């Protein structure tokens, strides 16, 4: 794209959790490999999960030309932050250490550093660092454009007295059902909500927002954000997705691909709720019943704990021997990290039961795998709405959030999986989404052009 003598030097600051680290490292890989940029990666040790530290280590060995810089955090007492979530507590700890980043980045570099890309969750704490260093600041938004519109408009919603009880009206975008708004946002004292409000209102101070989505999936929302309809003065929102999975993500992870090699084309449903969602045990048992009753072959990744280091018991303890035997006869069940890209791109996989973490949605789009959306928390119902609108999948809204209030029975799960796997129209629609996703990242595609626009603007600053 550009020769290395004119390419900018860009530093990246990811946040806590695989859902944030993964798109950052894919972006870093692309900046180095496709755009010839000089890249500094700020790494925070220790990480919350084992998967994060393994991924950073694989990344650094695959890209020796990238400069890793360790960022030491201040000691922090979690009891002062009113949250039980280890990932949010870690984000808080990173945010509180923001003033320590300037010395890390101010050492002379050749070429000199000119841009810092900050994760959305760290925005308000780290923007002052970029103005002190006199470098430009870009934000990487790791979720959907629809979620971004909520993030930038949320304070206006709080100030307004005219909101309906059913929808949030965000100018220029389709009405957002209140039932899809992350429940945590109704608790104004929660750590997540405090960060959300601060980050959303500071976005106007950045030079631009990079987003892991693609124009044709969210054109209306992206236009509303870029035309100043949502808020005035927002910097350019540049779509660069789907960020493509890379080779370095594959090493030292389990891969059930050989098992998939022996299954029929499009016959297997892949079931996973991402890197940090532990389903309740009663719901795990119902899901097992549903998978057995679906009469489909399945590849099921089970998580019993939010943080991988804490996983202890085998699945037998949760399901009991009898159900476990039935599960093993009909499919493959794993309780470990898997190569999701390898699975979604495998020809035997014909459907994906997903929590709709945004990375998973973009990966399903890239490989054209229809989704049965089962959002559990956070931005996932908003993302499921994008899936449904684009006919990339089905979504049973009555299944609720994964907060234990609704126990979805196995029989219903089995029926819906059967429907997903036998819906020919949905397969065609998903194949169409795959086409548009591939086009977006090809030469002259909207996301490829997004990358050029970003690099050019870094060079001008
Ligand atoms: N992932 C994976 N193997 C696993 C679980 C997750 O490769 O066993 C990857 C998945 O492909 C995605 C990321 O981890 O890139 C999870 O991000 P997502 O936004 O889908 O969900 P989150 O984990 O943040 O809820
Ligand atoms: N988010 C946001 N503003 C913030 C913090 C988070 O818009 O200030 C978005 C972010 O894009 C993230 C989503 O909210 O993807 C859900 O955040 P969470 O950390 O719960 O989920 P994760 O991405 O780790 O699965």
């Amino acid at each position: 794209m550009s020769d290395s003598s004119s390419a900018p030097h860009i530093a990246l600051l990811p946040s806590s959790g695989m859902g944030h680290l993964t798109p950052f490292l894919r972006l870093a890989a692309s900046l180095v490999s496709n755009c010839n940029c000089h890249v500094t990666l700020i790494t925070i040790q220790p990480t919350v999960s084992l998967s994060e530290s393994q991924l950073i280590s694989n990344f650094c060995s695959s890209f020796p030309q990238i400069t890793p810089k360790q960022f030491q955090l201040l000691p922090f007492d979690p009891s002062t932050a009113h949250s039980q979530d280890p990932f949010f507590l870690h984000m808080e700890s990173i945010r509180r250490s923001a003033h320590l980043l300037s010395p890390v980045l101010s050492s002379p570099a050749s070429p000199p550093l000119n841009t810092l890309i900050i994760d959305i969750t760290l925005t308000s704490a780290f923007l002052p660092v970029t103005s002190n260093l006199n470098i430009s600041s870009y934000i990487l938004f790791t979720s959907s454009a629809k979620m971004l519109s909520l993030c930038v408009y949320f304070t206006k919603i709080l100030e307004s007295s005219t909101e309906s009880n059913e929808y949030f009206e965000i100018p220029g975008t389709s009405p957002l059902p209140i039932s899809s708004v992350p429940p945590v946002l109704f608790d104004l004292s929660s750590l997540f909500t405090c960060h959300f409000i601060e980050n959303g209102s500071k976005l106007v101070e950045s030079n631009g927002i990079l987003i892991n989505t693609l124009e044709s999936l969210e054109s209306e929302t992206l236009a509303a954000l870029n035309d100043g309809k949502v808020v005035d003065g927002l910097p350019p929102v540049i779509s660069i997705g789907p960020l493509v999975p890379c080779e370095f993500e594959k090493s030292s992870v389990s891969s059930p691909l050989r098992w998939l090699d022996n299954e029929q084309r499009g016959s297997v449903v892949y079931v996973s709720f991402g890197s940090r969602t532990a389903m309740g045990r009663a719901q795990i048992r119902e899901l097992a019943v549903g998978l057995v009753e679906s009469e489909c072959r399945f590849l099921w990744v089970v998580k019993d704990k939010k943080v991988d280091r804490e996983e202890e018991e085998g699945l037998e303890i949760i399901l009991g021997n009898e159900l476990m035997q039935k599960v093993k006869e009909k499919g493959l069940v794993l309780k470990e990290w898997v190569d999701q890209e390898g699975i979604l791109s495998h020809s035997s996989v014909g459907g994906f039961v997903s929590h709709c973490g945004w990375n998973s949605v973009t990966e399903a789009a890239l490989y054209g795998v229809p989704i049965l959306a089962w959002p559990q928390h956070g931005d996932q119902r908003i993302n499921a709405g994008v899936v449904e609108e684009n006919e990339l999948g089905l979504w049973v809204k009555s299944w609720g959030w994964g907060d234990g209030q609704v126990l979805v029975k196995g029989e219903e799960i089995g029926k819906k999986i059967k429907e997903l796997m036998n819906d020919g129209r949905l397969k065609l629609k998903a194949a169409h989404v795959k086409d548009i996703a591939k086009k977006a990242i090809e030469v002259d595609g909207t996301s490829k052009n997004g990358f050029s626009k970003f690099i050019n603007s870094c060079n001008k600053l």
Side-chain angles (χ1 to χ4, degrees), residues 33 55 69 92 130 182 285 320 336 350 353 357 360:
S33 307
L55 191 67
K69 288 219 170 165
E92 174 67 359
T130 55
R285 284 190 287 272
E336 61 198 56
V353 178
S360 292

Side-chain angles (χ1 to χ4, degrees), residues 17-20 22-23 26 142 249 270 272-277 301 336-341 344 354-361 363 377 380:
M18 289 298 270
H20 298 266
T22 305
R26 289 176 187 168
T142 51
E249 298 173 48
Y270 168 54
S272 168
F273 296 86
S275 66
R276 48 163 298 187
T277 299
V301 185
E336 61 198 56
W337 190 259
V338 297
D339 168 10
Q340 177 157 305
E341 189 263 345
L344 289 174
S354 170
H355 69 317
C356 292
W358 188 247
N359 295 291
S360 292
V361 171
E363 290 155 20
H377 57 86
Q380 295 157 14

Side-chain angles (χ1 to χ4, degrees), residues 13 91-92 94-99 118-130 195 198-199 202:
L13 176 64
M91 285 171 196
E92 174 67 359
I94 303 169
R95 289 171 59 91
R96 288 185 190 208
S97 308
H99 60 286
I118 306 166
D119 184 276
I120 173 59
T121 63
L122 308 174
T123 302
S124 57
F126 284 86
L127 277 176
V129 176
T130 55
H195 292 173
E198 281 186 28
N199 292 330
K202 289 285 176 192

Side-chain angles (χ1 to χ4, degrees), residues 213-230:
T213 191
L214 57 142
E215 184 64 44
S216 39
L217 213 56
E218 297 197 88
S219 54
E220 183 194 49
T221 314
L222 286 166
L225 287 161
N226 277 319
D227 294 347
K229 286 189 184 142
V230 181

Side-chain angles (χ1 to χ4, degrees), residues 50-51 53-59 61 247-255 336-339:
L50 205 55
S51 335
S53 61
Q54 280 168 350
L55 191 67
I56 292 173
S57 147
N58 292 346
F59 177 82
S61 14
E247 235 4 78
F248 71 86
E249 298 173 48
K250 289 187 183 296
S251 34
S252 74
V253 293
S254 139
S255 171
E336 61 198 56
W337 190 259
V338 297
D339 168 10

Side-chain angles (χ1 to χ4, degrees), residues 20 88 120-121 141-143 147 151 192 196 199 276 379:
H20 298 266
F88 292 164
I120 173 59
T121 63
F141 197 81
T142 51
S143 184
M147 182 67 181
C151 185
F192 182 88
F196 192 81
N199 292 330
R276 48 163 298 187
D379 54 341

